Amino acid sequence: QVQLVESGGGLVQPGGSLTLSCVASGSIFSLYYMAWHRQAPGKQRELVASITKSGSTNYGDSVKGRFIISRDNAKNTMYLQMNSLKPEDTAVYYCRGDEAVRVYWGQGTQVTVSS
């Protein structure tokens, strides 16, 4: 059983930066796939970025070149570095981790981009 807890959200001005963290209660070594998703009010949850155990990454088109996903297996933590933030990045950001037969989700952290 793995529990995922996000942190690092908050209010930031357009053009600013934030780094989100997702800490696993157990080892993330078993999580062959991890990802950040986000959901804005009235919209469907969408993939922001993903990373495999081997370090292969994938990004949603709207964040390519601005966001960086990484994971530190030794610290059981995944990160999302968000740069050049835009108002349309405002959403609740969720951490996801996949084992072979189970998917785990965190409770989410709010990111608000506004002047």
Side-chain angles (χ1 to χ4, degrees), residues 35-106:
W36 289 97
H37 291 247
R38 68 185 181 187
Q39 187 166 20
K43 295 187 177 181
Q44 289 189 332
R45 191 173 295 190
E46 65 173 352
L47 174 69
V48 176
S50 66
I51 185 167
T52 66
K53 184 186 293 188
S54 63
S56 296
T57 58
N58 183 53
Y59 295 90
D61 288 341
S62 62
V63 306
K64 282 181 181 176
R66 299 189 298 124
F67 290 10
I68 300 172
I69 189 171
S70 62
R71 62 189 282 175
D72 187 334
N73 291 337
K75 294 183 178 180
N76 295 327
T77 304
M78 177 178 67
Y79 304 95
L80 183 68
Q81 180 180 339
M82 306 185 293
N83 302 313
S84 302
L85 283 161
K86 304 175 181 180
E88 50 264 43
D89 294 317
T90 295
V92 177
Y93 284 70
Y94 297 91
C95 169
R96 167 182 172 166
D98 292 20
E99 288 181 336
V101 295
R102 187 165 181 174
V103 177
Y104 301 95
W105 289 93

